[in-house]
Amino acid sequence: MSGLNQKLTQLRQQIGDIESRTNFSKSEILKSRLRNQLRDSRLDIRYQVNSEKLTDEQLAEKLSGTVLSDGLIYIQSQQVLDNIHETYDASGLITNFDTWPEQTSEHLEDLLFIDTETTGLSGGSGILVFLLGVAEIVGHTIVNHQLLLNGFVGERAMLSWFNNKLKGNKTLVSYNGKSFDAPLLANRFRLHKMRSPLLALPHIDLLHWIRRLYQKQWPDCRLPSAEQACLAFHRQDDVSGAEAPAIWGELIRRGATDQMQLLLRHHYWDVLSLVGLLDVVNKRIKPVKQNKINYYAVANYFLRAGKLIQAKSFLEANRQGLCDKGFLLLANIYRKLDDGMEALEIWECLARKNHEFAMEKLAKHHEHVSKKVDVALSYTHRLLQVSMSPKHLKRQQRLTKKLKKVNC
Amino acid sequence: MDQASSKVQKVVDNVSFLVNQLKGQHKKQITGEFIVPEKSAEFSDFPVDLDQRLKTALIKKGIEKLYSHQADAWFSIRQENNTVLVTPTASGKTLCYNLPVIQSVLENKKKALYLFPTKALSQDQQAEILSMNEQASLGIKVSTFDGDTPGDARKAVRTHGDIVISNPDMLHQGILPHHTKWAQFFENLKYIVVDEMHIYRGVFGSHMANVMRRLIRICHFYQVKPVFIFCSATIANPAGLAEQLIGQKVNAIKKSGAPQGKKHLLFWNPPMVNPDLGIRASARSQTTKIARASVRLGLKNIIFAQSRIMVEVITKYLKDAFDKDPRKPSRVHSYRGGYLPNQRRSTEKKMRQGDMDCIVSTSALELGVDIGALDVCILNGYPGTIAGTWQRLGRAGRRNQAALGILVANSTALDQYVIQNPNYFMGESPEEARIDPDQLLILLDHIRCAAFELPFKDGETFGGNDLTEFLHYLQDETLVYHEGDSWHWVADAYPANTVSLRSVTEGNFVVVDTTHGKQDIIAETDFHSAADTLYEGAIYLIQAQPWQVEKLDWEGRKAFVTKTQADYYTDAIDYTKLKILAEFDAAKTAQSNTALGEVHLVRRISGYKKIRYYTHENVGFGKINLPDQEMHTTASWWQVSSNSLENYFTSRWQALDGFLGAAYAMHHVAALLCMSEARDIGRAVGNADGTWFATVGDKGRGSVKKFNGDGVDIDQQAFNPTVFLYDNFPGGLGISKGLFENRESIVKRAHETIHTCPCEAGCPVCIGPILRATETYQQSAKESALQILLLLQSENVKTSESWTQECPA
């Protein structure tokens, strides 16, 4: 131990730093921790403590990839569109994708499905993307490109490769990529002082769509939950994304590849699922009858995106499953489209259940549009039974006065 | 004479009336009095290159000329000099930096980062610039970026803010680690404004210097070299501190051109109620008494108290006197952190408009906030620094009109020390803000953060420090990875989150309240003070409420306490052993030796005393079984040659009393000169080789022990008594270096304090509490302490011949 080393360790003990207060050195603690993990692990060769870092060529050979440039390994794999995870047929995308509500590229071939593995989940300029996955649909096939760093030296080449892919009229598809992967990659571009169109490209974040559709039904909207529910895919013998930083550390420090192979498969699954989930969402938001999703959230999205007709036909197609909020939204759309009768019908239907907002709408309608003051007043009386809100009281007073005038 | 000026005249009269009244009736309480003379304004014309739009905005605000220091600042900053402005309260310092900053935004869309230590200040600052903006539609975008900034607004701040107002903690945790998101901002960054620079001292300042190193490193990455502008209260070393903070040359502007009314200052010591114990009447009672007299005379008052609770208590007492009638608008208001912003704004407005007579505040009001002109400022207790005292006193004073400031002392040792030595307030400030940017632990923390922000290159330095060993250390911890010529961050961690700018500790203890089966965390204390305060049996005080420690889980860093009703407090009995490891510097004379060096300190806390409140009698003991506390730190130490000791003292005991008394006084002088709290500096008296150490026993006289607690016959031991003053942090904080540099001043001032103290045999103001002067000693501990300090004053006696001549025998 060098002088400074010793001093730092001593001082950290003196301020009560838990990690350094035992007599063991840090590396001894780490080793014992690793030994424990090894004992508990199914994979006995998980940590090859004494081996050396692999050359790019050795690594490429082990992972059945090629060396793209210094420190950068390229692995390609393909998968037919109609048998994702051997459980899901996404070929509907080929004919069906043209009505997607967000701004996207025109051609399916211009979608780039992206996912990253990183040295940390915290975000910030010190987090590295060491594995980048980009998938494209070519005909009936998904072509998946994986770029793996065998050291920091390969990063620049990885980013240029990616930048080349981004050329043209591309659209990104990801799971939580708007908040995580894209900003992180943008950070890396800036650190290398490279310009990239990344953040300006259209970007479909499937997490947002899955949330809109299923947040109420599911305990969580993590990718594995979506895979199980929508793609009938259950991962087995998978590593978790949280282990990724350690797995890459073991690769570059000691050339450990077994875990990395599992991680590559994990990452490949992630990207394939993006294609499957895009198809799922695409089907779910068509204006045809759908099963058990949050119709309101989807329609509301259409509405906020200014797609009134799409919202209307989506709600109409799913009238049976609509909640009160969904019906009110539909009534609102009808009113905007000057279809007052349809709106009235919905409100009346809800008013039968003493729905406050619907009754208020009806009171307003009969007071100002149809001018049936007595009907308006009767709705107001019913309203007051539900809520003694001052606005209802005011309306009651005003309508009573009006009625007297009319009667006089 | 028109009506307005006759009213002014009357107020002036009332201020002098109050001064005379106080001086007449309470002569004994006044320990010092100064008059700061009136000073007229010194103006400069607008600089010729000042943007026309800015000029318009200023004229619309009623500003037709600049004060000379504002113009000085303009020229210094425009010539791209790092600049520190040392100006009194309310002298228009914000304009000093706002003018060049706004000008450069208007000229070429450059950006600026403002760093304020608190959020409240940021908001006031933003309002200030916005008002300027409105005057001439300058179109400057100014935003605050702190913990309260909502997520969706952050992007706009990063990309569009011309002036971003933030604080050091946010810069450290939120901006620098995400600098790539701020690329656009950094690429155009031209000015960095650091207000309240004097706050950045000690631990906080040492962290701040490292945050600045990281900031400059990031700026370098974006190929900008911003100009730093500092503002500081008056301290002895403004340029020195600024230069230490950024490692670059800084130009100081110390001369203010702002006008100043005449100021009358009184130092007020509450009357003694128990001379034996040195207990005085409370500052609170004196403060309210003075305030009542002042409000009755129709004067506008501000009272500063040290704690929120004290603000409430004083407010209540004054409201009882003046706001008895609920139908009338209240004349007394309190103002402190924890109130809602609009509540505070309304109080500020009332005060500005003169709708109330007295505002009672914590330091929340100390800075920046405009509350109009006041006649009288009363400080309930010494604010801890001379600079802080002046800042608060600056609150009173109208232009061209006399004002009164009164400092009322508490009975704490430092307060008493200051109140009886008012001369510290005259002339140049003696206070030096000390930092140690290369404090090993702090440095290591920030090297970690910096490695996360950008990879280090081989041979790259950080604040001039060679990093090779540090980076290897981090590599061993698997935090960084060396590849090619760079050290990359590889850990799954965000290092800035685990580094607090306000402390050096990691192993904090939490205090868990288990009364009635609860499990509430009610306090947190740093590792360092846990052993002193959280031993089993200790009475732990929170807001003067007693809790008893039932169980201490040392490994788990938890103390379990229950609420109690004890009429005693507990005081740990500790033995300290100091060993000198290395001497860095020394100044020797024939009589004495003063040195600076590295020491190893072991503290053993062996037991505790229970001491009854008020009577201070010992009502019991308890044993404590805790691991020894070790610390490597830096220290300054003072020794007297054995010849001199033999010549000047009849017994070793007598000399020891002298050392203990001198150490007490030197400790307080040292804290004052280095702007530290007394607890930031440790003090010990012992033999130079660590064989024995001395403490003050029950009777206020020295007692000598070995480290294991055994008594020692002092006449049978090697006798080289030494006063140690050390940095009370592992690794040190640069304070001892300051002490060594100021060694003569410390000894001289300590001597002065004891010499001028009116007590008979020693008291908490000079050498510490002495219960009785026993006849067995031929001279009082006070005399012995004076003798020691005389011997330590090197310049008095140079050679061994001369001391024999001066020898009283």
Side-chain angles (χ1 to χ4, degrees), chain B residues 150-178:
Chain B
D152 46 355
R154 291 187 174 205
K155 197 177 169 201
V157 176
R158 287 197 295 258
T159 43
H160 301 304
D162 295 318
I163 299 174
V164 173
I165 301 176
S166 192
N167 55 60
D169 307 86
M170 199 64 193
L171 176 64
H172 154 62
Q173 294 189 329
I175 299 178
L176 292 175
H178 286 285

Side-chain angles (χ1 to χ4, degrees), chain B residues 399-420:
Chain B
R399 304 249 151 105
N400 314 317
Q401 197 179 307
L404 170 63
I406 303 167
L407 172 61
V408 182
N410 271 313
S411 52
T412 64
L414 191 58
D415 271 45
Q416 284 302 314
Y417 179 74
V418 168
I419 206 74
Q420 296 187 31

Side-chain angles (χ1 to χ4, degrees), chain A residues 279-297:
Chain A
D279 184 59
V280 169
V281 174
N282 190 42
K283 283 180 180 154
R284 286 300 194 198
I285 59 177
K286 292 273 183 234
V288 293
K289 193 178 164 212
Q290 301 285 358
N291 274 329
K292 281 194 212 156
I293 56 168
N294 188 347
Y295 310 107
Y296 169 78

